[in-house]
């Protein structure tokens, strides 16, 4: 953790001081629906969707969501200003809260398409994209990026990137506080191997006090959220939000100033599972197998008694067309009563 002096300029007024990061195969609509029983206020993100998939594919499949998931940002992958602007228009039409460009993903697919993290080397192009999108929509247009890529990894390189992109009035810079190596490291390694450089993100906020800066990478505990918020406007949480979803049960009160939790929020793990019953029931009648929804519940008991039995039961029983609500109810029986009913911390 950094020892920089907190900036007095840090805006305490960011509308969304906490968000859950876009994560492929994780932050789908089922996960997002579940999270809304824990936090109503955290800004959620979709998984990345490429502009091509939206413009030439099945738009409802890529864009539909339940209104309960709001506030929700659509994350786009692409580098063509016109296509991104068209998709931003669709995002607004569909009711998304914000639209975001991915300038952080280092996967081969993204590299071949010349978008994602490779765009860190093309700030002017990113600025053109943001400008085109902002001309199309009224909702905020934001960018999620890295500290740097390959040899373009000095603080000055990121400063230049942000300086250029901010000319297009980008509404937020969400910075994954580690660089990406585009050759030699897998996407997974790129989330773990390059060291975290929180100080560079704090410095960015100090040097651009008028911009909204969000920090991301390796943040796991609520106390850490608080420490980062001394330096930047917002924190974005990825893996910890997926592996330990109940962490978010305290977020609305602690970070959004909610005096009381919304009545739809739940207090125990049992309540969370039961709150999902009607949703699961309706999903089972449409497209989904049970596991499409319940795979997001695997981390529900992490660190608690019974978590292994729960995971094992779910792994053995929740896959396949015959698994249904009864399966889930039986799964609750393998977890100790005390664990099920323990209030969230
Ligand atoms: C499984 C997985 C999928 C991810 N998919 C995306 C994605 O679609 N778009 C994106 O910008 N970042 C993606 N990321 C990166 C996260 O948004 C985040 O930047 C990264 O995990 C660091 O934050 P954390 O340490 O809090 O997890 C993904 C991360 C994971 C673990």
């Amino acid at each position: 953790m950094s020892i920089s002096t907190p900036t007095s300029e840090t805006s305490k007024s960011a509308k969304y001081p906490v968000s859950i990061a876009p994560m492929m195969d994780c932050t789908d609509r089922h996960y997002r629906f579940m999270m809304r029983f824990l936090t109503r206020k955290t800004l959620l993100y979709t998984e990345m969707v490429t502009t091509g998939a939206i413009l030439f594919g099945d738009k409802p499949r890529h864009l539909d969501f339940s209104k309960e998931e709001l506030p929700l940002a659509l994350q786009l992958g692409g580098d063509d200003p016109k296509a991104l602007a068209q998709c931003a228009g669709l995002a607004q039409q569909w009711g998304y809260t914000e639209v975001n460009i991915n300038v952080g993903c280092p996967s081969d697919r993204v590299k071949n398409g010349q978008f994602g993290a490779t765009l860190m080397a093309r700030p002017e192009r990113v600025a053109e994209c943001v400008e085109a999108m902002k001309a199309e929509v009224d909702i905020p247009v934001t960018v999620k990026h890295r500290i740097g890529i390959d040899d373009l990894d000095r603080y000055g390189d990121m400063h230049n990137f942000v300086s250029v992109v901010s000319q297009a009035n980008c509404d937020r810079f969400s910075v994954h506080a580690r660089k990406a190596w585009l050759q030699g490291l897998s996407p997974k390694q790129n989330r773990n191997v390059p060291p975290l450089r929180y100080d560079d993100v704090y410095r960015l906020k100090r040097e651009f006090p008028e911009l909204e800066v969000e920090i991301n990478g390796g943040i796991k505990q609520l106390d850490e959220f608080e420490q980062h918020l001394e330096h930047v406007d917002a924190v974005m949480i990825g893996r910890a939000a997926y592996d330990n979803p109940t962490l978010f049960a305290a977020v609305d009160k602690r970070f959004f100033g909610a005096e009381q939790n919304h009545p739809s929020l739940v207090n125990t793990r049992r309540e969370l599972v039961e709150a999902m019953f009607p949703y699961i029931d309706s999903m089972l009648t449409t497209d989904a197998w049970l596991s499409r929804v319940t795979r997001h519940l695997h981390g529900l008991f992490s660190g608690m008694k019974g978590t292994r039995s729960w995971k094992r039961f779910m792994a053995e029983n929740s896959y396949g067309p015959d698994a249904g609500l009864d399966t889930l109810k039986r799964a609750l029986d393998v977890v100790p009563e005390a664990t099920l009913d323990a209030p969230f911390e």
Side-chain angles (χ1 to χ4, degrees):
M1 182 60 56
S2 163
I3 48 161
S4 301
T5 328
T7 164
S8 56
E9 321 256 19
T10 301
S11 150
K12 295 288 179 195
S13 59
K15 190 164 179 195
Y16 303 110
V18 182
S19 72
I20 295 182
M23 288 179 282
M24 296 294 283
D25 295 327
C26 297
T27 54
D28 66 10
R29 57 184 302 184
H30 309 308
Y31 169 80
R32 299 186 310 249
F33 195 92
M34 174 188 85
M35 289 310 289
R36 285 296 177 227
F37 291 110
L38 296 165
T39 170
R40 296 281 290 217
K41 296 184 178 289
T42 300
L43 178 65
L44 303 182
Y45 281 78
T46 64
E47 305 160 274
M48 180 188 75
V49 197
T50 62
T51 52
I54 295 176
L55 297 176
F56 307 115
D58 179 343
K59 291 182 182 52
R61 187 168 82 80
H62 292 300
L63 297 175
D64 280 357
F65 62 88
S66 310
K67 65 178 182 340
E68 289 84 350
E69 295 165 41
L70 293 167
L72 177 61
L74 174 68
Q75 190 188 54
L76 296 172
D79 74 335
D80 174 14
K82 213 167 140 199
L84 283 162
Q86 268 178 286
C87 289
L90 289 168
Q92 177 162 290
Q93 190 185 323
W94 244 258
Y96 283 90
T97 314
E98 300 186 352
V99 59
N100 175 267
I101 314 177
N102 181 335
V103 185
C105 180
S107 79
D108 282 341
R109 186 168 71 98
V110 158
K111 270 187 316 209
N112 294 337
Q114 289 296 306
F115 57 96
T118 60
L119 283 170
M120 289 294 300
R122 297 158 72 205
E124 285 79 12
R125 173 53 81 100
V126 178
E128 276 174 51
C129 294
V130 172
E131 194 176 2
M133 292 162 82
K134 286 198 70 92
E136 189 70 27
V137 295
D138 302 319
I139 56 175
V141 175
T142 66
V143 168
K144 177 171 182 280
H145 63 98
R146 293 271 184 158
I147 294 261
I149 47 165
D150 299 336
D151 294 331
L152 209 64
D153 67 344
R154 292 163 310 158
Y155 171 78
D157 297 317
M158 174 171 66
H159 183 283
N160 179 54
F161 175 84
V162 169
S163 171
V164 172
V165 177
S166 64
Q167 302 297 311
N169 293 325
C170 174
D171 290 289
R172 186 185 310 109
F173 291 86
S174 300
V175 194
H176 184 173
R178 45 164 73 88
K179 67 176 282 188
W181 282 107
L182 298 183
Q183 303 296 337
L185 290 190
S186 69
K188 188 169 180 190
Q189 288 171 318
N190 264 315
R191 293 193 286 267
N192 295 305
V193 175
L196 286 160
R197 287 165 39 192
Y198 293 141
D199 267 337
D200 283 14
V201 187
Y202 299 165
R203 182 173 168 195
L204 190 71
K205 176 63 196 177
R206 276 202 307 278
E207 294 182 4
F208 293 96
E210 70 288 3
L211 300 183
E212 189 166 321
V213 175
E214 178 171 61
I215 196 164
N216 167 243
I219 306 168
K220 295 194 178 79
Q221 301 293 338
L222 298 177
D223 286 347
E224 295 170 20
F225 294 19
E226 207 146 90
Q227 287 159 20
H228 287 295
L229 288 170
E230 292 290 322
H231 302 274
V232 292
D233 302 298
V235 291
M236 173 186 265
I237 315 301
R239 286 161 290 185
Y242 195 76
D243 297 339
N244 183 17
T246 62
L247 182 68
F248 277 75
V251 162
D252 287 6
K253 280 211 231 164
R254 190 156 161 186
F255 297 99
F256 287 86
E259 283 188 10
Q260 289 192 336
N261 271 340
H262 190 275
S264 64
L265 297 189
V266 299
N267 295 304
T268 71
R269 287 162 177 81
R270 178 200 297 275
E271 283 175 21
L272 178 57
V273 177
E274 290 176 353
M276 289 292 285
F277 284 174
Y279 178 79
I280 292 173
D281 212 22
S282 72
M283 282 294 150
L284 287 173
T285 60
T286 53
D287 69 328
W289 283 9
L290 181 70
S291 58
R292 287 272 302 275
V293 186
T294 54
R295 69 194 183 92
H296 302 302
L297 289 163
H298 283 206
L300 188 56
F301 300 100
S302 56
M304 301 189 79
K305 208 162 175 221
T307 185
R308 288 177 69 182
S309 319
W310 166 262
K311 282 187 181 165
R312 193 177 326 117
F313 187 93
M314 296 299 276
E316 285 169 5
N317 298 287
S318 67
Y319 294 86
D322 296 331
L325 267 188
D326 273 353
T327 317
L328 189 54
K329 288 176 186 163
R330 281 193 289 126
L332 289 177
D333 290 338
V334 306
V335 183
E337 197 73 11
T339 302
L340 266 177
D341 288 331
F344 304 130
E345 297 194 339

